[in-house]
Amino acid sequence: MERRFRLIAEHWLQSLLMSSVAGGIVVSLRPYMSRRWGFLVDGLAERSFLVPVIGAVLPMLLAIVWPARVTAGLNAVRLFPRHIGTFLKTAFSIVFIVAVDVGLLGNESYYRVDTSLLASLAAAFAVGTIAAYGYARWMTQPRSISGPADEPAGPDTWLASDEPAKTLADNQFPEHESVANRILARLLSARAEDSWLVPNVALIGPYGSGKTSICNLVESLYRDKACREHVPKVLFCRFDAWQFLSPEAATRGLVRTITERLLQVTDDLMLWKVPDHYIQAIGECAGPWARPIISFVSGSDDPRTVLSAIGDTLVRLNMRVVVFVDDFDRIERDCPATQQAVAKALNQFQGIANLQYVITVGPTRPGGGETIGSHASWDLLKLTRYQELVPTLDPGQLVELTRKCRDHSQEDRDFSYPWAYARESDSDPLAFDAAFACLYSGLGLTGYLVGLVRTPRACKAMLRETMKAWAGGLKGE
């Protein structure tokens, strides 16, 4: 806790220094502003009805234009005193300016304001700020296309799109929930004593096995857990390097993903420059004359020192950030240099306090030397502390989903299927016994299903095409 108290004290000193400097600059310019200030006060006094309108409308306009910034700025009030945001720094500066000016000039102060106008402005601004905060929070909260948690998705809803599961209600595979629970337990595991370093995880599975769905379930399970238990405050974000065309852009995008997520809850101006300063610190083009300039602008030319601004903020706010790095191994197919750049950045993240990541990769194949299968050189054991394997598709679950779709197709009252309704003595062609699962391969309809469908993506594609063919002409023949 010593480090956290030290960071809070440094943050307070920096904030007070910034407010004092800003206030001193404005006070020094007071003689040049006095006439305009007087005209403004006199104009508002003549049109007093505009004061409450301005006070109420201004926060709403800011919330409409910058909802995330307004939310972050007002969150500083909730995070006070461990964080003093730009909004509070501005308020402190105004109080400092007025206090110094009135104290020096007394009744001759140019900052004369009608008390009634000031009271109406403050009341209207308070109401507008509350409304703006509610609107900004509503605009920035994550949207979910799924229904309530107690209403699981039906076959039509589940097959309607190829989107990954976002909540437990969307999930059709219990084994995915088990993996998500294990990953969440790894992420929330207690850190070592006197250390703010936290573990990282690799999620390994083939394409279409449900890695993205498991990552979404981790976040959904955390929200449910946070409502019932006292757990560390965690901010989740997601990074996809496919959209970047160069290693530099991918690295900057990775760091910016983290800083922008932090800036959604706190308006720390120091975080705005971290992505660019990190690129400058790791840039090979910076010569001996450029290094001092970078060090002067960013505070350091060491990449870990630049990234430590993120860790210091997280420690001070007592929060964690978890970034999901999607399909890390597939980056290499398009640009090996991009994968190497992202891997180097992730390796440096391991020394940053309260910063965690989950890497999703395909199955590694045995290789030797500097390669893993056909991929470029990177080592999951160096980048992560824990590795989780996505389980293979359970044959029983596959048969159960197929049975649900079959039964759902028979619910149409406009058609009768006498051949489809089994008698008590008839056996179900989709019967499955887990005790004899190893014998089903190639035996009957169930055996063909188990042999052909290996992943949840293939399962959904098979059922979707079957339902499409059924509704497109087979039904009613």
Side-chain angles (χ1 to χ4, degrees), residues 104-120:
L104 292 177
L105 299 179
N107 294 332
E108 299 179 2
S109 172
Y110 287 100
Y111 295 97
R112 48 187 178 84
V113 179
D114 191 303
T115 305
S116 60
L117 288 179
L118 183 62
S120 62

Side-chain angles (χ1 to χ4, degrees), residues 30-86:
R30 182 191 55 78
Y32 304 98
M33 300 169 56
S34 58
R35 172 170 292 186
R36 292 183 176 86
W37 176 262
F39 286 151
L40 177 63
V41 173
D42 293 339
L44 289 177
E46 295 176 0
R47 302 171 180 84
S48 58
F49 65 93
L50 292 177
V51 174
V53 175
I54 295 175
V57 171
L58 182 60
M60 284 301 301
L61 291 178
L62 295 176
I64 293 174
V65 178
W66 299 295
R69 295 291 179 260
V70 170
T71 303
L74 295 178
N75 275 340
V77 179
R78 179 174 55 86
L79 296 173
F80 187 85
R82 52 182 167 159
H83 175 70
I84 306 176
T86 305

Side-chain angles (χ1 to χ4, degrees), residues 438-470:
C438 59
L439 303 178
Y440 276 109
S441 179
L443 297 179
L445 177 59
T446 301
Y448 286 116
L449 286 175
V450 174
L452 290 174
V453 181
R454 301 290 186 179
T455 64
R457 187 180 297 273
C459 172
K460 179 177 284 190
M462 178 268 295
L463 293 175
R464 182 188 295 117
E465 292 302 317
T466 304
M467 295 287 286
K468 181 180 179 181
W470 173 257

Side-chain angles (χ1 to χ4, degrees), residues 155-156 404-415 417 421 470:
D156 290 337
K404 284 183 179 179
C405 291
R406 180 199 64 183
D407 296 341
H408 177 71
S409 65
Q410 297 178 2
E411 295 176 357
D412 194 337
R413 301 296 183 183
D414 296 334
F415 297 92
Y417 314 101
Y421 301 109
W470 173 257

Side-chain angles (χ1 to χ4, degrees), residues 254-272:
L254 175 61
V255 179
R256 183 181 292 117
T257 297
I258 299 170
T259 55
E260 286 185 351
R261 184 66 182 95
L262 259 176
L263 288 171
Q264 290 178 2
V265 297
T266 176
D267 58 339
D268 193 338
L269 298 180
M270 299 297 293
L271 295 174
W272 290 5

